[in-house]
Amino acid sequence: MTTDGAGLCFVGIGSPHGDDRAGWQVAARLQERNLAGWDVHVAASPIDLLDWVRPDRPLWVADACRGDRGARVWQEWRWPTEELSVTWGGGTHDFSLPGVLTLGQRLGRLPADVRLWGIWGGDFGAARAAGDQLGRVIEEVVEEIVRVWCGGDVGPTSPEVVPPGAGHA
Amino acid sequence: MTDTRTVRVEILSRVEGEGALHIETRQGRLERVELQIYEPPRLFESLLRGRPLEETPDITARICGICPVAYQMTAVHALERALGVQITPEIRRLRRLLYCGEWIESHALHIHLLHAPDFLGYDSGLAMAADHPQEVNRGLRLKKHGNQLLEVLGGRAIHPINVAVGGFYRAPRREALQRLIPDFEWGLQAAIEATRWVATLRFPDYCRDYHFVALRHPDEYPFNEGRVASSRGEAIDIDDYERRFAEVHVPHSTALHSETRPDGGCYHVGPLARIALNRDRLLEPARRLADELRFETPCGNPYRSIVARGLELVQAYAEALDILRDYRDFQPHRIPYGHREGTGCAATEAPRGLIFHRYQITADGLIEFAKIVPPTSQNQKQIEDDLRDWLPGVLDRPDAELARRAEELVRNYDPCISCSTHFLKVHRHDH
């Protein structure tokens, strides 16, 4: 799943199981928007994002997450942030999203602008349907991502700058 | 506190499954070893019932995000046998190419990021990357080649959707495959270098007389068909698989254990078994490398499975290049068929070992019964047997070391549910 151009690499991570499909659905909605310069992919494991990441273009990622979320249904982070290890502690082959991003950084593959959209899910059971609310949340996240992109709030940011994650109920 | 020691090892991984290890000793002697695995295939078998057989490849691909091709390929072969469909040589080669992609992706990842850290003293591939960036980058690049092939052939890299009963929904254009050749030429050389590198690692001096089981084909290294051969000299038709191998319930695991019939023994599937039974079928680059490295056959040291995986990585690149170079656009890419009542089974070779499917279909093309036996289920009993054999020699070690070394032994098998470097986490209880 790839659009033309190479202005931004977007990766939706997920699986076909329950709410875990959130990242794939965000990627699919963005693909439908046909945003110029976007290179959109889906991955089953975070490690796959290293197939496409390049230091010279921003990397944005969407993935389902779980844990203590309070009233939030989705949240945005900028990498690096310690919060991620709580939210995305596990992963296939033990390659969690934070672990893969750390690996990418260690290998000099990460761009300065790495953003993550986490969508909290409840049921990740094998072959289960997505939750009733997921569709609405996906649309919200997609709108926010497009807003950020179109608003020009993009481009290289210092990896040292770690703004607090904006929570959304 | 009594003389009973329990080492409880447990972690639940997110998608592929759950694994835990329970080790119990009494008076300094090993009393119980249980590898506890929870996998979803049972659920998928139920899910398939009543559905049109045409949905089977896409549904079975979702069993595993790491080896979807093995699941869907075994499914289409079994269903084609039930339907009496004969595919063309062109379709068959394209399917082998798809298998090459999956083996490259899976083996490259396991060799470089999952298994090698065990021999170099690192906790993870991430830790290893700091000191061995070249090797890790090589592994990631090779893995990417596998995904690229899956994307071109399967429509996408994850859960490919182009595989159909009778062939492919769409055949790739020659130009799309030709574009991969330069990368795969580099990949073949890189795979050879990677295998030479892992052959230099220091392996524990541990050897077993395994009952190896793998497909064997008269003309080729096994991917998609052959007789079920064993290191005990047997070679049976796929139709006889269930007479020779059975799945049994064990109390400590929701996954079924496979064992031989009638003796209830364990057996070993995967790269070591395939090479043990098919070394003479390796293509020239892989066979020459096996000779150069003096890779013994059969090899009973499970730690040396990393070398066997390397040889198979070379094999997959060599075969992929042959197919890519020869490929011409062809028709038909899908053989038409009619529905009929029947039963069909098939076995293929997933990266982790032999995988078996059997389906019963109705006259109107619905799945009436499905049976799926993944490689990790077949190795589960063998893994426990290895642990029972090996643990008594290291029971005097501290829990952390015991757990780490048990993890390493398990990881030799690249179990699909939990290939992670932190597969096992120890909780010790002294009664």
Side-chain angles (χ1 to χ4, degrees):
Chain A
M1 182 154 131
T2 305
T3 59
D4 59 338
L8 184 143
C9 178
F10 188 92
V11 182
I13 300 168
S15 79
H17 307 302
D19 293 340
D20 198 31
R21 68 192 74 198
W24 289 2
Q25 291 192 355
V26 170
R29 298 292 174 278
L30 289 168
Q31 179 78 5
E32 289 166 7
R33 303 277 182 119
N34 201 24
L35 296 159
W38 279 49
D39 186 19
V40 182
H41 299 272
V42 292
S45 168
I47 190 78
D48 288 337
L49 68 82
L50 295 179
D51 283 3
W52 310 296
V53 68
R54 293 201 322 240
D56 61 350
R57 61 179 183 178
L59 170 69
W60 292 6
V61 180
D63 190 10
C65 56
R66 62 173 97 193
D68 181 16
R69 65 182 184 181
R72 293 172 297 218
V73 290
W74 62 271
Q75 188 167 355
E76 179 191 347
W77 291 271
R78 287 192 191 185
W79 174 262
T81 167
E82 289 296 321
E83 284 185 50
L84 296 184
S85 59
V86 178
T87 311
W88 278 292
T92 304
H93 292 86
D94 214 29
F95 290 122
S96 65
L97 183 53
V100 168
L101 292 174
T102 305
L103 178 62
Q105 204 160 33
R106 198 161 282 181
L107 296 171
R109 292 177 171 218
L110 281 197
D113 182 1
V114 178
R115 301 182 193 213
L116 310 154
W117 278 268
I119 299 109
W120 268 279
D123 186 352
F124 294 77
R128 300 291 291 269
D132 295 340
Q133 300 299 313
L134 189 66
R136 181 182 60 79
V137 178
I138 297 297
E139 294 307 324
E140 270 184 40
V141 172
V142 168
E143 288 305 322
E144 173 63 10
I145 291 171
V146 173
R147 188 194 67 76
V148 173
W149 173 251
C150 295
D153 183 22
V154 293
T157 55
S158 167
E160 286 75 38
V161 176
V162 187
H168 299 269
Chain B
M1 188 161 165
T2 71
D3 56 0
T4 300
R5 176 192 184 193
T6 302
V7 179
R8 173 80 189 157
V9 178
E10 189 166 18
I11 197 168
L12 311 178
S13 63
R14 185 168 141 227
V15 176
E16 262 62 35
E18 302 171 352
L21 184 63
H22 183 93
I23 302 167
E24 200 169 305
T25 63
R26 187 176 292 275
Q27 294 178 333
R29 296 182 61 166
L30 186 66
E31 191 162 277
R32 193 152 66 105
V33 177
E34 291 175 351
L35 178 64
Q36 301 166 344
I37 290 179
Y38 314 96
E39 283 192 356
R42 305 302 100 187
L43 181 63
F44 278 89
E45 289 165 338
S46 304
L47 193 72
L48 284 165
R49 283 183 208 142
R51 289 184 176 269
L53 66 89
E54 285 76 14
E55 293 182 8
T56 309
D58 288 349
I59 291 174
T60 53
R62 283 161 171 74
I63 292 174
C64 180
I66 308 301
C67 46
V69 170
Y71 282 96
Q72 59 182 187
M73 278 297 160
T74 316
V76 295
H77 289 150
L79 290 167
E80 285 162 3
R81 291 191 76 199
L83 294 163
V85 176
Q86 295 290 326
I87 60 165
T88 63
E90 290 81 8
I91 291 171
R92 187 175 186 281
R93 270 172 78 78
L94 210 51
R95 285 180 172 177
R96 286 185 69 83
L97 185 58
L98 192 57
Y99 246 121
C100 290
E102 182 157 283
W103 277 31
I104 288 169
E105 189 272 343
S106 179
H107 281 357
L109 181 70
H110 193 259
I111 289 168
H112 291 87
L113 281 137
L114 304 173
H115 210 185
D118 285 345
F119 305 103
L120 294 167
Y122 297 97
D123 288 339
S124 66
L126 177 61
M128 195 181 101
D131 298 328
H132 299 272
Q134 191 179 335
E135 285 78 9
V136 171
N137 271 317
R138 177 179 60 204
L140 289 170
R141 188 169 170 189
L142 295 176
K143 173 191 160 296
K144 182 179 178 178
H145 292 166
N147 277 344
Q148 285 175 320
L149 198 48
L150 294 181
E151 202 162 343
V152 172
L153 287 177
R156 60 190 190 192
I158 48 169
H159 310 311
I161 49 169
N162 192 28
V163 171
V165 177
F168 290 87
Y169 289 110
R170 179 183 57 83
R173 301 291 300 175
R174 181 166 185 262
E175 304 81 64
L177 292 180
Q178 294 269 304
R179 279 197 291 271
L180 298 174
I181 290 175
D183 273 348
F184 276 67
E185 286 173 339
W186 177 89
L188 175 59
Q189 293 310 312
I192 289 170
E193 287 310 308
T195 309
R196 285 182 178 137
W197 170 62
V198 296
T200 66
L201 300 173
R202 290 188 61 190
F203 301 104
D205 186 17
Y206 178 68
C207 205
R208 303 209 66 194
D209 182 19
Y210 287 119
H211 179 193
F212 288 124
V213 173
L215 291 181
R216 181 166 167 82
H217 187 273
D219 306 316
E220 59 199 12
Y221 200 73
F223 273 148
N224 48 354
E225 64 177 322
R227 285 164 68 83
V228 181
S230 98
S231 53
R232 295 183 182 167
E234 299 165 294
I236 60 170
D237 289 334
I238 300 299
D239 291 329
D240 293 325
Y241 174 87
E242 289 172 280
R243 279 194 273 276
R244 190 68 185 88
F245 305 97
E247 287 184 303
V248 296
H249 285 281
V250 292
H252 60 270
S253 179
T254 55
L256 298 173
H257 274 205
S258 289
E259 60 184 32
T260 53
R261 280 180 167 177
D263 58 331
C266 52
Y267 60 102
H268 184 133
V269 301
L272 279 179
R274 282 192 292 258
I275 290 190
L277 295 162
N278 295 282
R279 181 171 176 145
D280 57 340
R281 301 289 188 265
L282 287 168
L283 291 174
E284 197 265 344
R287 196 168 57 237
R288 194 175 57 209
L289 184 61
D291 293 342
E292 174 196 316
L293 300 176
R294 297 179 181 172
F295 187 79
E296 66 273 31
T297 309
C299 173
N301 183 338
Y303 295 95
R304 289 177 63 79
S305 61
I306 192 171
V307 183
R309 245 174 231 107
L311 292 169
E312 287 196 334
L313 186 62
V314 174
Q315 168 72 18
Y317 268 105
E319 176 152 1
L321 271 171
D322 284 350
I323 298 172
L324 290 170
R325 286 171 177 144
D326 291 348
Y327 184 77
R328 300 287 182 275
D329 295 337
F330 69 95
Q331 289 285 346
H333 47 79
R334 191 176 172 201
I335 306 300
Y337 58 86
H339 290 152
R340 72 181 193 191
E341 193 175 318
T343 298
C345 62
T348 72
E349 287 287 349
R352 289 152 193 83
L354 189 144
I355 176 171
F356 175 86
H357 288 208
R358 178 164 62 85
Y359 298 96
Q360 198 171 323
I361 55 177
T362 65
D364 48 354
L366 301 178
I367 300 291
E368 194 166 36
F369 172 83
K371 178 175 181 174
I372 297 170
V373 186
T376 297
S377 289
Q378 297 181 81
N379 274 336
Q380 199 174 341
K381 188 167 184 168
Q382 182 66 67
I383 293 171
E384 287 186 352
D385 194 66
D386 276 8
L387 288 164
R388 266 191 296 274
D389 180 72
W390 174 84
L391 280 168
V394 291
L395 284 178
D396 58 335
R397 310 293 169 88
D399 282 3
E401 184 183 345
L402 188 66
R404 178 178 59 78
R405 296 184 66 174
E407 268 188 88
E408 290 170 0
L409 190 57
V410 173
R411 219 160 12 240
N412 289 324
Y413 289 84
D414 188 13
C416 198
I417 53 149
S418 44
C419 315
S420 78
T421 50
H422 294 285
F423 165 39
L424 306 173
K425 200 173 280 179
V426 177
H427 305 284
R428 176 181 179 164
H429 303 283
D430 289 316
H431 301 281

